[in-house]
Amino acid sequence: MMRTRPLKVALLGCGVVGSEVARIMTTHADDLTARIGAPVELAGVAVRRPDRVREGIAPELVTTDATALVKRGDIDVVVEVIGGIEPARSLITTAFEHGASVVSANKALLAQDGAALHAVAEQHGKDLYYEAAVAGAIPLIRPVRESLAGDKINRVMGIVNGTTNFILDKMDSTGAGYQEALDEATALGYAEADPTADVEGFDAAAKAAILAGIAFHTRVRLDDVYREGMTEVTAADFASAKEMGCTIKLLAICERAEDGASVTARVHPAMIPLSHPLASVRGAYNAVFVESDAAGQLMFYGPGAGGSPTASAVLGDLVAVCRNRLSGTTGPGESAYAALPVSPMGDVVTRYHISLDVADKPGVLAQVATVFAEHGVSIDTVRQSGKDGEASLVVVTHRASDAALTGTVEALRKLDTVRGVASIMRVEGE
Amino acid sequence: MMRTRPLKVALLGCGVVGSEVARIMTTHADDLTARIGAPVELAGVAVRRPDRVREGIAPELVTTDATALVKRGDIDVVVEVIGGIEPARSLITTAFEHGASVVSANKALLAQDGAALHAVAEQHGKDLYYEAAVAGAIPLIRPVRESLAGDKINRVMGIVNGTTNFILDKMDSTGAGYQEALDEATALGYAEADPTADVEGFDAAAKAAILAGIAFHTRVRLDDVYREGMTEVTAADFASAKEMGCTIKLLAICERAEDGASVTARVHPAMIPLSHPLASVRGAYNAVFVESDAAGQLMFYGPGAGGSPTASAVLGDLVAVCRNRLSGTTGPGESAYAALPVSPMGDVVTRYHISLDVADKPGVLAQVATVFAEHGVSIDTVRQSGKDGEASLVVVTHRASDAALTGTVEALRKLDTVRGVASIMRVEGE
């Protein structure tokens, strides 16, 4: 039997995502009603600039007073697509206190204050859903949290930022430098006027924190995520990568330590083999690899941003939260029972590709190799090339800890014969 | 607060999947308890051969009387991994009648009798989950049914049978013929002694029926799915595909018609461009592309079969069903409100690659082209080669209906100058 009183939705924010959410709620109203078991009604839209024309949204629904909207008391679900920490955090908290469940696309907020928000939601018996916060339209939170709930996830590795993937893909395919590729991304609307959050890895780090938390049933905050941007990646790095049969991607990597007793989360550029499925993720697409004990290797691929794809994820959550309200229940809340320690970057074990500028004279290789050996870093291959007294040395190591590698590089810098460390890049996905 | 009375699970079947389910329930008991909110206990295991040693399963749990087990009345969840129609169907029905929810990996049964089983589940207020029935460990049912619940899915296209993908991949990479590749698949355990269900497309057709039903909110039964196996694919077909920059995959394709008023579901071998992500799915892996209005193109990739991966999917469902029981609710049941008609194969529109053996004399091409034109099938390219009075003609068409193509081919066969139709293959994913 279909309930006739509609579920009331308050929309906070009506930009590129919010306007798509409102549009689809209108155009697909019948489908949403059938799938939820009751109609959903847009009960209010909080915006900053009420004078902008918003096609398809009745003017009387629009308000600049978001707080009053979430305090109304008759709102079933608040959809938060404002972004940023405040006022989003206060509005979400107030929404729970006034009886609403919340669907959010806010990765920064979830990564910083997810635990506190989950606690408020639970205290009030409400849902907090946020599929859209990680990798846009790609179903990732739900599969990791629910489909793999009977499995043990050991690793999540993905391309979770479309802007930087567009830039790196452009550099790879055209040989362009970083600035040139960034300029093109900006001109095409893939990069914002201030691209810092993307190119310095802040956006990806927030997503890594959320993914690590869900995958390992452990609280992982943004501050726990090691972060290295991709502004230093050069055309020369891509040339080196090609020689190794690799390309370069900005990766978010969440790993369980081999002994299972701790986890790490990090974002940095890395070389990955061309044969790895993540290597062929083009343009602004996202893709995430998940490795677990029983399921093995899974990959999820799709558009990681954009109004429509993000709205698709928001609406999927909206349907679930509405269904939960109708049946008087809530979905899975925060699961942090494992409470594993998050280890520092120094504990991460991987391979490295190091380019050194060295003096072109006998004995240099022996000196360099000795430094690696003294720090317990085993060398896989060395390639030497040079002329006119200058030479370059490319060293690829076996697996070693980040701490050991850092110590090695510090010692290398002190050698008279090493003129400079041109680049250090991790090698993943082998 | 943690409930202490354990949830009781009855396992029907203890083969390659069932034994993995039992093993993980034991080894990961603490994690499952934390994620569910109560312990789960293996309360009974129904098998055909009780005398086989089953490591880690207490002998007193083993029974040959599956019916008595599901009738016990104290069982919370029945996990059915027997496969086939009977006795699985009766056991699942009896389980619902005696108060249990059901997790099943049974694609054949779901594709044939899903609607009836859903009805019994709903009548008794119980859950019927079956993530493991389609594409093994790959989360697909839950993302399509829940994550995309606010979106409109237009197309699902995938490689959903690992055995046939292994065989086709082998033919592609080594130039082997079908029989040789099948023999290798059998020797390596990828193909069963009787490979009919796989190579004739029955297994993939069952999955297509389930996927189409969920994607389009419409009942689609196995009988509604057009099915063509891949036993006729030859090394020559692969050579032709290569010339077009394509490879050949056995695809399950579920489509909404362009006017949105009907759907189709089909399984057949098809050429797809090497640039398409499905083209690089190797070995026994599965991958499914989902195209929707808002989300755009999504892909889900992973192991499509095997004991551990399938057990991972079963246990994810088990956790969800147990959580639902604890909170006194049920998850989404069957959603068939759209009730769109399923159109016959003749209505499917795609491109075709047709190889003809023809007489090598003037006027043949004109005759052939006339037949295509008379049936309204527009030709994209023609390639002619020949010697000693025999020639071959390869025609690639623009998009045309299957009915028009079938009419064309019938007329071609009647031409004196056409000695034979060597192969007809659809071209997808462009």
Side-chain angles (χ1 to χ4, degrees):
Chain A
M1 211 184 63
M2 181 119 345
R3 198 178 82 146
T4 46
R5 182 180 87 71
L7 289 148
K8 293 192 178 176
V9 176
L11 184 58
L12 309 184
C14 199
V16 64
V17 176
S19 57
E20 267 298 287
V21 170
R23 188 187 67 75
I24 297 173
M25 280 182 68
T26 308
T27 56
H28 290 48
D30 290 349
D31 282 321
L32 291 173
T33 302
R35 295 174 194 180
I36 291 167
V40 275
E41 174 190 300
L42 195 55
V45 182
V47 301
R48 271 185 306 177
R49 288 164 296 190
D51 47 325
R52 277 177 57 188
V53 177
R54 292 166 208 282
E55 211 178 330
I57 297 178
E60 64 271 22
L61 295 182
V62 177
T63 175
T64 53
D65 193 346
T67 306
L69 179 58
V70 300
K71 278 186 174 172
R72 263 173 49 172
D74 66 336
I75 301 297
D76 291 286
V77 186
V78 168
V79 172
E80 184 270 308
V81 287
I82 305 174
I85 305 300
E86 283 296 350
R89 177 171 53 194
S90 301
L91 290 168
I92 290 174
T93 304
T94 308
F96 288 136
E97 288 164 357
H98 288 78
S101 284
V102 173
V103 174
S104 171
N106 194 328
K107 57 204 152 248
L109 179 58
L110 265 301
Q112 183 178 306
D113 290 315
L117 292 173
H118 273 295
V120 182
E122 194 171 346
Q123 182 191 334
H124 294 280
K126 298 292 172 285
D127 272 328
L128 171 60
Y129 275 50
Y130 46 94
E131 181 68 76
V134 180
I138 310 174
L140 204 56
I141 303 287
R142 188 175 273 104
V144 169
R145 189 162 67 166
E146 299 180 39
S147 304
L148 292 168
D151 206 337
K152 186 180 173 193
I153 296 173
N154 296 311
R155 199 157 194 251
V156 179
M157 176 164 90
I159 295 165
V160 295
N161 180 275
T163 305
T164 48
N165 200 58
F166 180 90
I167 294 170
L168 291 169
D169 188 20
K170 187 57 63 177
M171 291 174 72
D172 186 36
S173 58
T174 67
Y178 166 70
Q179 190 59 50
E180 189 187 335
L182 171 62
D183 290 346
E184 183 170 346
T186 311
L188 291 171
Y190 286 115
E192 294 182 47
D194 176 1
T196 309
D198 294 317
V199 300
E200 295 295 355
F202 290 100
D203 174 85
K207 294 164 179 169
I210 296 170
L211 283 173
I214 293 169
F216 304 134
H217 300 270
T218 288
R219 279 184 194 149
V220 180
R221 286 170 51 104
L222 185 53
D223 295 346
D224 297 323
V225 182
Y226 173 83
R227 180 190 53 74
E228 206 176 291
M230 43 70 74
T231 59
E232 310 280 308
V233 176
T234 64
D237 290 329
F238 272 101
S240 296
K242 281 212 171 87
E243 283 181 30
M244 284 184 64
C246 287
T247 186
I248 298 170
K249 296 289 188 188
L250 184 72
L251 298 179
I253 305 175
C254 313
E255 283 178 319
R256 192 189 291 275
E258 276 179 31
D259 66 0
S262 64
V263 299
T264 54
R266 51 190 165 116
V267 168
H268 54 70
M271 294 186 181
I272 55 168
L274 292 172
S275 59
H276 194 284
L278 290 178
S280 53
V281 176
R282 299 271 165 242
Y285 272 81
N286 283 195
V288 177
F289 240 76
V290 178
E291 295 179 22
S292 71
D293 265 5
Q297 293 193 321
L298 304 171
M299 189 173 80
F300 304 82
Y301 166 97
S308 287
T310 309
S312 170
V314 166
L315 286 159
D317 278 353
L318 180 64
V319 169
V321 169
C322 286
R323 291 179 51 91
N324 289 345
R325 271 185 97 86
L326 288 180
S327 63
T329 183
T330 53
E334 187 191 29
S335 176
Y337 72 89
L340 297 168
V342 184
S343 299
M345 188 61 188
D347 289 2
V348 166
V349 173
T350 186
R351 296 177 64 201
Y352 303 86
H353 177 282
I354 301 130
S355 295
L356 302 171
D357 295 325
V358 298
D360 188 13
K361 55 186 185 187
V364 172
L365 178 55
Q367 273 189 321
V368 166
T370 302
V371 169
F372 276 89
E374 282 170 356
H375 290 81
V377 178
S378 172
I379 292 175
D380 181 16
T381 61
V382 178
R383 204 175 58 244
Q384 202 168 4
S385 60
K387 60 175 183 180
D388 304 333
E390 292 292 321
S392 76
L393 211 56
V394 171
V395 179
V396 179
T397 74
H398 286 296
R399 282 166 62 79
S401 76
D402 208 82
L405 196 277
T406 302
T408 307
V409 171
E410 275 171 22
L412 287 171
R413 285 191 207 275
K414 288 179 188 153
L415 290 182
D416 288 343
T417 48
V418 172
R419 306 268 159 83
V421 179
S423 89
I424 306 166
M425 185 119 12
R426 296 174 187 87
V427 185
E428 302 284 345
E430 294 178 301
Chain B
M1 211 185 66
M2 183 124 334
R3 197 178 84 148
T4 47
R5 184 180 85 69
L7 289 149
K8 294 190 178 177
V9 175
L11 183 58
L12 309 184
C14 200
V16 64
V17 176
S19 58
E20 268 298 287
V21 170
R23 189 187 64 77
I24 298 173
M25 280 183 68
T26 307
T27 57
H28 290 47
D30 290 348
D31 282 321
L32 292 171
T33 301
R35 296 175 194 179
I36 291 167
V40 276
E41 175 189 298
L42 194 57
V45 182
V47 301
R48 272 186 304 180
R49 286 164 295 190
D51 46 325
R52 275 177 58 189
V53 177
R54 292 167 210 279
E55 211 178 330
I57 297 177
E60 63 269 26
L61 296 181
V62 177
T63 174
T64 52
D65 191 346
T67 305
L69 179 58
V70 300
K71 278 186 174 173
R72 261 172 52 171
D74 65 337
I75 301 296
D76 291 285
V77 186
V78 168
V79 172
E80 184 271 305
V81 287
I82 305 174
I85 305 300
E86 283 295 350
R89 178 170 54 193
S90 302
L91 289 169
I92 290 174
T93 304
T94 308
F96 288 136
E97 290 164 356
H98 288 78
S101 283
V102 173
V103 173
S104 171
N106 194 329
K107 58 204 154 249
L109 178 58
L110 265 302
Q112 182 178 309
D113 290 315
L117 292 174
H118 274 294
V120 182
E122 193 171 348
Q123 181 192 335
H124 294 279
K126 297 292 172 287
D127 272 327
L128 172 59
Y129 275 50
Y130 46 94
E131 181 66 77
V134 180
I138 309 175
L140 204 55
I141 304 287
R142 186 175 276 104
V144 169
R145 188 161 69 165
E146 300 179 38
S147 304
L148 291 167
D151 206 336
K152 186 181 173 193
I153 297 173
N154 297 312
R155 197 157 196 254
V156 178
M157 176 165 91
I159 295 165
V160 295
N161 180 275
T163 304
T164 48
N165 199 59
F166 180 90
I167 294 170
L168 290 169
D169 186 22
K170 186 59 62 180
M171 291 174 74
D172 187 36
S173 58
T174 66
Y178 167 70
Q179 191 57 49
E180 189 186 335
L182 172 62
D183 290 346
E184 184 170 345
T186 311
L188 292 171
Y190 287 114
E192 294 182 46
D194 176 0
T196 309
D198 294 317
V199 301
E200 296 295 354
F202 290 100
D203 173 86
K207 293 164 179 170
I210 296 171
L211 282 173
I214 292 170
F216 305 133
H217 300 270
T218 287
R219 278 184 194 149
V220 180
R221 283 170 52 104
L222 185 54
D223 294 346
D224 298 321
V225 182
Y226 173 83
R227 183 191 50 74
E228 206 175 289
M230 43 69 75
T231 59
E232 310 282 306
V233 176
T234 63
D237 290 329
F238 271 102
S240 298
K242 281 213 172 84
E243 282 181 30
M244 286 185 63
C246 288
T247 186
I248 298 170
K249 296 291 187 187
L250 184 72
L251 298 179
I253 304 175
C254 313
E255 283 177 321
R256 190 188 293 275
E258 276 178 31
D259 66 1
S262 64
V263 298
T264 53
R266 53 195 164 112
V267 168
H268 54 70
M271 294 185 182
I272 54 168
L274 292 173
S275 59
H276 195 284
L278 289 178
S280 52
V281 176
R282 300 271 165 241
Y285 271 81
N286 282 197
V288 178
F289 239 76
V290 179
E291 295 178 23
S292 71
D293 267 4
Q297 294 193 321
L298 302 172
M299 189 172 81
F300 304 82
Y301 167 96
S308 286
T310 307
S312 171
V314 166
L315 285 160
D317 279 354
L318 179 65
V319 169
V321 169
C322 285
R323 290 179 51 93
N324 289 345
R325 270 184 98 85
L326 287 181
S327 64
T329 183
T330 54
E334 188 190 29
S335 175
Y337 71 90
L340 296 168
V342 184
S343 298
M345 189 62 189
D347 290 1
V348 166
V349 173
T350 188
R351 297 178 64 203
Y352 303 85
H353 177 283
I354 302 130
S355 296
L356 303 171
D357 295 324
V358 296
D360 188 11
K361 54 186 183 186
V364 173
L365 178 56
Q367 275 191 318
V368 166
T370 302
V371 169
F372 276 89
E374 282 170 355
H375 290 82
V377 179
S378 172
I379 292 175
D380 181 17
T381 60
V382 178
R383 203 176 60 242
Q384 200 167 7
S385 60
K387 59 174 187 181
D388 305 333
E390 291 293 321
S392 77
L393 210 56
V394 172
V395 178
V396 180
T397 75
H398 286 296
R399 283 167 61 81
S401 75
D402 208 84
L405 195 278
T406 303
T408 306
V409 171
E410 275 172 18
L412 287 172
R413 286 190 206 275
K414 289 179 188 152
L415 290 182
D416 287 344
T417 49
V418 172
R419 306 269 159 83
V421 179
S423 90
I424 306 166
M425 184 113 22
R426 296 175 186 88
V427 184
E428 302 285 345
E430 293 179 304

